[in-house]
Amino acid sequence: MHIVIAPDKFAGTLSALDAARAVADGWRSVDPSARIDLVPLSDGGPGFVEVLHTALDGTLREASVTGPLGEPVTARYLLVGDTAYVESAQACGLHLVPAGRRDPARTTSAGVGELLARAVADGARTVVVGLGGSSTNDAGAGLLAALGATPAADLARGGGALADIDKVDVAPAREAVAGVRLVAATDVDNPLLGLHGASAVFGPQKGADPALVQRLDLALTAFADRADPEGAARSEPGAGAAGGLGFALLLLGGAVESGIGLVLDAVGLAGRLATADLVVTGEGSFDSQSLRGKLPHGVARLAGEHAVPCVVTAGRVAVGRAEAAAAGITETYSLVESSGSVAAAMEHPARGLRDLAASVARRWSR
């Protein structure tokens, strides 16, 4: 059999590459003769640069930038010709903030702007910013401040401080990226504000209680009124991605593109599926959000175009068979279910995924 193994990361436990290797090891333990093609993937969140470096080669550049709490962090971006790929999570990711210090009213996206500026200084004429996994809810104000928007000190203080800013000048930031094509790589279609906006949908994941969600939405509204008085960017699909980083990139003249589509094209998944018998994808939690444009859905859609069965191995599965089938998923397999509990699945995730893959292989090998 020819098996394509194309998972996303298992957030908090396994990188996409580690997950792919675990599945491959489990499969080979049952079917050593299988032809296995490892294709780790990302939708723009954590792992974006690693996945693209594996697929595109290029040059990794490293920089010390402002982290989400104002402390320096080391981040990398990928330069391929005159195109740079920046992973916002490396500069402001939730994983960079200890659980006890998570406060989306204070975390800043300034480091993402610093990475973008470094990429432009390196000669990039296109900068693709992968959005996802952020700890921030500042509408990209920190990013804009790092590129020269004023008042810089106030813009970089986090989303909670935005309500107190009387005037915002984005023109210097636009000048800093003049002539550069900016792409916000995301499959999130949320606007910046309101019930489906950055604060309401993603704020709770970053430590915001209901009162803070409301305060942040009001602060971002005030900021948008000053930075985007015509209101063109705030309602665009994707403006609310990564705590509003999509909004900032739209303000700078950028465009929102599918992160999954960009990565699937870069790794040439369509060509690799042409002769495949089965594709195995997966992620940490396969739930209702997975069916709204997340990575397994994108893989399944492409597999369907090539009449290749697609199965999901996930940390947990919270989607019914009928829903999964409607999205093109042939079968789903849960690591939590096979391990017996969440604690057992989390204790040895690679070993558990290996064992789960072996079970899948016994069902599918021929």
Side-chain angles (χ1 to χ4, degrees):
M1 289 187 73
H2 175 193
I3 314 299
V4 174
I5 299 174
D8 196 353
K9 66 188 177 303
F10 281 49
T13 56
L14 298 171
S15 70
L17 181 57
D18 289 338
R21 286 171 173 164
V23 172
D25 288 346
W27 199 284
R28 288 192 182 103
S29 71
V30 172
D31 182 6
S33 66
R35 175 187 166 197
I36 293 179
D37 189 6
L38 296 188
V39 193
L41 298 174
S42 168
D43 59 3
F48 182 65
V49 162
E50 178 186 40
V51 163
L52 288 173
H53 184 224
T54 300
L56 303 175
D57 200 10
T59 303
L60 285 174
R61 298 289 173 86
E62 194 170 275
S64 177
V65 299
T66 302
L69 298 174
E71 301 159 353
V73 297
T74 299
R76 298 189 299 175
Y77 59 94
L78 177 66
L79 200 59
V80 183
D82 64 355
T83 297
Y85 297 91
V86 171
E87 182 181 312
S88 61
Q90 292 207 18
C92 69
L94 189 62
H95 67 284
L96 297 173
V97 183
R101 300 181 66 189
R102 290 178 181 173
D103 182 356
R106 296 180 180 276
T107 46
T108 179
S109 61
V112 184
E114 293 167 8
L115 275 179
L116 202 161
R118 286 287 296 270
V120 171
D122 269 348
R125 307 314 298 162
T126 296
V127 181
V128 180
V129 184
L131 303 182
S134 80
S135 64
T136 55
N137 199 100
D138 68 350
L143 177 153
L144 295 171
L147 293 172
T150 60
D154 292 329
L155 292 173
R157 287 170 50 207
L162 298 178
D164 302 324
I165 301 175
D166 294 327
K167 184 178 180 181
V168 176
D169 185 4
V170 180
R174 290 183 176 134
E175 180 62 28
V177 294
V180 177
R181 176 173 172 260
L182 298 178
V183 175
T186 180
D187 289 272
V188 166
D189 59 5
N190 303 75
L192 179 66
L193 307 170
L195 290 176
H196 302 289
S199 304
V201 175
F202 305 114
Q205 303 169 11
K206 304 171 186 183
D209 60 21
L212 182 54
V213 164
Q214 185 174 15
R215 182 162 72 88
L216 284 170
D217 194 56
L218 291 172
L220 266 58
T221 299
F223 172 65
D225 287 343
R226 291 161 179 76
D228 180 35
E230 296 181 2
R234 69 185 74 181
S235 299
E236 285 290 313
L245 275 170
F247 173 72
L249 292 168
L250 286 165
L251 277 185
L252 295 174
V256 174
E257 295 186 11
S258 167
I260 295 170
L262 187 151
V263 172
L264 295 186
D265 286 346
V267 303
L269 187 63
R272 296 163 97 156
L273 289 175
T275 59
D277 296 302
L278 178 72
V279 59
V280 180
T281 187
E283 60 183 345
S285 179
F286 185 66
D287 52 30
S288 59
Q289 290 296 313
S290 303
L291 304 181
R292 295 188 59 195
K294 289 182 72 177
L295 194 144
H297 183 261
V299 173
R301 185 177 65 247
L302 197 57
E305 292 175 6
H306 291 80
V308 177
C310 176
V311 302
V312 168
T313 55
R316 62 183 285 270
V317 173
V319 171
R321 289 184 178 179
E323 291 176 286
I329 305 293
T330 309
E331 289 184 352
T332 60
Y333 302 88
S334 165
L335 181 55
V336 169
E337 186 175 321
S338 67
S339 300
S341 68
V342 173
M346 293 288 286
E347 186 175 5
H348 300 290
R351 186 172 69 194
L353 188 55
R354 233 177 5 248
D355 293 344
L356 179 61
S359 176
V360 176
R362 281 189 284 273
R363 177 175 175 82
W364 283 89
S365 291
R366 61 173 189 264

